[in-house]
Amino acid sequence: MKSLIQIFLVSALLTTCINVNAMTASPQSWWVGMQTNSLQIMLHKQNVAKHQWQLMPYSGVNLHNIIKTDNPNYAFLNLEISPSAKPGTLVFNSAAGGRFEYSLNARKANSSKRRGFDSSDTLYLINPDRFANGDSTNDSVKGMLEAANPIERGGRHGGDIQGVIDALPYLQKLGVTQLWLTPPLENNMPSYSYHGYAITDFYKIDSRMGSNALYRELAAKAKQHGIGLVMDLVLNHFGSEHVWMKDKPTADWINFNGDFANGKHATSHARQTIQDPHASDFDKRQFSDGWFVATMPDLNQRQPLLANYLIQNAIWWIEYADLSGIRVDTYSYSDKAFLANWTKAIMTEYPQFNIVGEEWTSNPAIASYWQAGKVNNDGYTSSLPSVMDFSLQESLIQALNEDESWNTGWVKVYQSIANDFLYPNPDNLLVFADNHDMSRVYTQLKQDLAKTKMAMTLLLTTRGIAQMYYGTEVLLDNTGSNDHGDIRIDFPGGFKGQKSNAFTGQGLTIDQRDMLQTISTLLNFRKQSAALSQGKLTHFSPKDGVYSYARTSEKQTVLVFLNKHAEMKSWPLHYMEEVLGSQIHATELFTQQTVNLNKAVTLPAMSAVVLVIE
């Protein structure tokens, strides 16, 4: 059996434990030249707090103090790292004979200046276990509680990071610019471990997905294909098989004393209590401190050692994997004072970075509370750049499924976007038609190809940052089941024995090919369109079943017409004079035909028309 020294050298995580067998240190390594000069290392081993740790002399690094808790199995070393410190190895000794080494690494050039994802991007959301099996040897791993079970809807199907790496040429050709993987971190749970949100090690990629080194390789190879990597982080909860459930670092590490109490301590999901000036303290606590389920204990971010752990964990992954963004699961469920500090710490370290928080509400008054720059009545200040636009998602599905009237149909979308005055930066909202927690857009639109194409055209041409769920381009469908295992369906071509292959086009239906071509056209146009990435949005009140809008930049104007009618429309453009100016010709994106703007535009039945004016 390999020693810990060998394991850490092979994995390049650079934390070595000598004569302190089975001790772990978190973070596993750090960097010199960070904006913040403090570092807190959490040590975990039986009776580790009894060691009187001393740092051997190292220029520019001081061991400020050691924090011990009510659990002798933990110790927290607070270090000060000056800007003059150089990369190297810190050596810690104790009088009891303990010794361990800790690496300080050099940062990549301009790491602090990295640009996050923005409105020029499209995030492609992947459930790695259901996307592509690139390495069948890790489908089941000895020591992991759940083995592969590809025929079970809630089981592990074998997809992994190697499968995503292998798909990079396909994703680049499709027009994707960012990858958002549901958490690939270790989920060593006895069941339903595939989804990734019950984390049992915040510093380790699940061995059935690959390794830390392979995740970093994914980031590097994706960048070579013009694609960034966005990590899905969970701050609110963790998996019940985590060592913290058996050995809590502090008595108050987990909310409600680590007891779900048969649902008594379940969250209320009443997110409005956070902003409600009349809400009781009881209701506020029930929302923020309550657990999702018994297998996902709720973390107490008011505990300062835990708060610091979560902040450093995010920064560690940004540096280690060279991330271009973070998506935060169940954002508002965490302590809001902690969230302010967490976002501020990351954005201070990376001023041009981007983080999007999941606040699942169709009420923009609630969602906008969290976006950076919002002046809130209670004085709360957030540094979160982006939130998810659930209001537009819900309105879009309603609009396409409803008949048109004065208060139904496209007016729902118009009204949702009209609420942008509530947001400090609506261009930095994440817009989407579906995701991993809801039925697929094709399913929600009752398997209507034309409506699905209209929905995706709107999402990929309106304001904001676009997100698309994997397989939307080939009409993946969960009709007949709302089970998450069916929503997170296997991607065609990613697994052996499938009849169709989206990567090659083999076996796809005519409708699937049509959708794939539509999505590819939109995504690749979006990548190079100044109007879609930077342009102003001007939309017009829906009329006669048509919703229309313009995206305008200095050198380009894009006009979008979404016609829900079951008949062709001859559509006059006189009302668009303010965005047309003197332009008389445009090119239709999908047909590449030239269109005379001095005449009425032909809008085919149940269609999206996109006119590009250069």
Side-chain angles (χ1 to χ4, degrees):
M1 182 176 180
K2 293 183 178 179
S3 69
L4 284 175
I5 297 175
Q6 291 172 307
I7 292 172
F8 288 156
L9 285 174
V10 170
S11 65
L13 294 182
L14 306 174
T15 302
T16 316
C17 303
I18 302 175
N19 297 326
V20 189
N21 193 30
M23 187 175 79
T24 60
S26 304
Q28 300 169 337
S29 58
W30 204 245
W31 293 266
V32 296
M34 303 293 286
Q35 180 72 24
T36 302
N37 62 6
S38 61
L39 170 64
Q40 186 172 87
I41 304 174
M42 181 176 78
L43 302 181
H44 182 215
K45 177 186 178 289
Q46 187 173 5
N47 292 320
V48 71
K50 294 183 178 180
H51 290 263
Q52 299 300 316
W53 295 106
Q54 292 183 334
L55 171 64
M56 299 298 290
Y58 192 99
S59 179
V61 182
N62 295 310
L63 176 56
H64 181 65
N65 64 6
I66 300 175
I67 297 177
K68 300 179 181 180
T69 73
D70 45 36
N71 185 342
N73 296 336
Y74 291 87
F76 294 80
L77 311 185
N78 286 324
L79 276 63
E80 293 179 351
I81 305 174
S82 75
S84 64
K86 304 298 183 183
T89 303
L90 305 180
V91 178
F92 294 87
N93 290 324
S94 77
R99 167 186 161 91
F100 74 95
E101 297 179 359
Y102 192 88
S103 286
L104 290 179
N105 305 319
R107 300 178 75 183
K108 290 186 177 180
N110 299 314
S111 178
S112 64
K113 298 179 181 179
R114 70 183 65 223
R115 293 193 62 85
F117 59 86
D118 58 30
S119 57
S120 66
D121 283 308
T122 301
L123 279 64
Y124 190 81
L125 167 57
I126 293 175
N127 289 104
D129 180 67
R130 304 301 173 86
F131 185 64
N133 190 348
D135 181 4
S136 60
T137 65
N138 65 9
D139 291 358
S140 297
V141 174
K142 185 178 180 179
M144 304 300 285
L145 296 176
E146 186 176 19
N149 188 0
I151 63 173
E152 172 61 39
R153 60 171 51 154
R156 300 192 70 92
H157 290 193
D160 49 33
I161 293 171
Q162 186 60 54
V164 180
I165 292 174
D166 295 343
L168 288 173
Y170 165 81
L171 296 171
Q172 180 182 24
K173 183 179 179 181
L174 185 63
V176 171
T177 61
Q178 300 283 341
L179 292 180
W180 158 20
L181 275 59
T182 54
L185 297 176
E186 183 188 271
N187 272 239
N188 195 12
M189 301 290 290
S191 61
Y192 294 99
S193 65
Y194 78 94
H195 59 65
Y197 290 97
I199 296 169
T200 55
D201 191 330
F202 284 86
Y203 280 97
K204 183 183 179 183
I205 296 296
D206 195 295
S207 55
R208 293 159 296 187
M209 290 284 174
S211 65
N212 285 25
L214 190 64
Y215 185 70
R216 184 159 58 176
E217 181 182 330
L218 167 62
K221 289 186 174 179
K223 185 173 290 187
Q224 294 172 6
H225 287 81
I227 299 172
L229 183 60
V230 177
M231 193 172 210
D232 197 339
L233 290 183
V234 186
L235 307 175
N236 177 65
H237 53 265
F238 64 109
S240 58
E241 293 297 324
H242 196 292
V243 67
W244 290 341
M245 284 299 285
K246 303 177 183 67
D247 198 17
K248 291 185 291 186
T250 65
D252 59 350
W253 201 259
I254 304 169
N255 282 323
F256 288 115
N257 297 316
D259 184 11
F260 186 58
N262 292 320
K264 180 180 178 182
H265 294 151
T267 180
S268 65
H269 297 291
R271 53 188 33 82
Q272 67 274 8
T273 59
I274 301 301
Q275 297 95 334
D276 181 0
H278 312 295
S280 67
D281 290 339
F282 174 84
D283 286 339
K284 290 178 182 178
R285 187 186 182 207
Q286 200 66 34
F287 167 66
S288 294
D289 291 8
W291 299 23
F292 271 55
V293 291
T295 54
M296 292 182 177
D298 205 74
L299 290 166
N300 174 22
Q301 302 88 10
R302 294 181 296 276
Q303 161 48 250
L305 296 172
L306 171 59
N308 204 43
Y309 179 98
L310 294 172
I311 290 171
Q312 291 183 160
N313 178 255
I315 293 173
W316 190 88
W317 279 112
I318 294 169
E319 288 288 330
Y320 176 82
D322 198 20
L323 301 178
S324 63
I326 289 173
R327 180 263 185 182
V328 183
D329 181 65
T330 58
Y331 186 81
S332 64
Y333 289 79
S334 297
D335 179 73
K336 72 176 188 177
F338 158 77
L339 290 172
N341 293 331
W342 185 87
T343 52
K344 182 179 180 181
I346 295 173
M347 297 309 297
T348 297
E349 196 67 59
Y350 310 97
Q352 300 179 77
F353 198 63
N354 208 350
I355 309 169
V356 58
E358 178 196 28
E359 172 60 310
W360 194 322
T361 176
S362 59
N363 185 347
I366 293 176
S368 63
Y369 178 86
W370 301 104
Q371 192 177 35
K374 183 65 180 287
V375 178
N376 292 304
N377 287 338
D378 63 359
Y380 183 74
T381 301
S382 173
S383 297
L384 179 70
S386 175
V387 293
M388 299 173 70
D389 194 349
F390 280 92
S391 170
L392 182 57
Q393 187 279 330
E394 181 179 288
S395 299
L396 178 58
I397 299 301
Q398 290 176 351
L400 285 165
N401 281 331
E402 293 175 346
D403 292 332
E404 289 293 310
S405 74
W406 68 274
N407 66 345
T408 59
W410 283 126
V411 69
K412 297 281 185 71
V413 169
Y414 182 85
Q415 290 171 342
S416 176
I417 293 177
N419 282 325
D420 278 0
F421 70 90
L422 291 166
Y423 293 99
N425 186 4
D427 289 332
N428 207 31
L429 298 177
L430 189 75
V431 299
F432 56 100
D434 60 3
N435 64 25
H436 57 298
D437 288 326
M438 63 177 68
S439 285
R440 290 179 169 273
V441 60
Y442 185 58
T443 305
Q444 292 186 64
L445 295 176
K446 303 173 185 178
Q447 300 174 308
D448 189 311
L449 173 63
K451 289 182 178 180
T452 305
K453 289 168 69 173
M454 278 192 279
M456 296 310 299
T457 299
L458 185 145
L459 265 302
L460 294 172
T461 57
T462 190
R463 54 77 174 133
I465 305 159
Q467 173 248 297
M468 186 177 78
Y469 195 26
Y470 78 97
T472 298
E473 70 271 27
V474 289
L475 300 173
L476 289 193
D477 184 20
N478 61 282
T479 298
S481 170
N482 289 322
D483 189 279
H484 280 186
D486 292 323
I487 292 169
R488 302 159 186 172
I489 189 174
D490 290 350
F491 187 79
F495 301 85
K496 290 183 178 179
Q498 293 174 305
K499 295 180 179 179
S500 60
N501 188 326
F503 298 126
T504 65
Q506 181 181 358
L508 297 182
T509 66
I510 293 175
D511 282 356
Q512 285 178 311
R513 291 176 183 276
D514 188 356
M515 190 68 189
L516 181 60
Q517 181 59 50
T518 297
I519 293 294
S520 181
T521 299
L522 284 164
L523 290 181
N524 283 287
F525 174 65
R526 182 181 174 85
K527 284 172 66 173
Q528 51 84 31
S529 169
L532 296 186
S533 63
Q534 306 163 12
K536 175 186 175 182
L537 170 66
T538 303
H539 68 163
F540 300 88
S541 295
K543 182 179 180 181
D544 295 335
V546 176
Y547 177 50
S548 58
Y549 53 93
R551 300 294 306 279
T552 54
S553 65
E554 184 177 346
K555 295 183 178 180
Q556 186 185 61
T557 297
V558 175
L559 308 178
V560 181
F561 304 88
L562 303 170
N563 178 21
K564 269 180 64 182
H565 269 285
E567 58 186 29
M568 181 269 289
K569 288 276 187 181
S570 181
W571 200 253
L573 302 181
H574 60 87
Y575 67 98
M576 284 188 157
E577 183 178 347
E578 64 190 89
V579 295
L580 288 177
S582 60
Q583 300 294 333
I584 59 173
H585 292 103
T587 301
E588 208 287 317
L589 177 65
F590 300 113
T591 65
Q592 289 299 297
Q593 293 181 348
T594 300
V595 176
N596 187 340
L597 300 177
N598 286 330
K599 299 179 180 179
V601 174
T602 298
L603 305 181
M606 294 295 294
S607 72
V609 172
V610 179
L611 303 182
V612 183
I613 305 170
E614 300 289 355

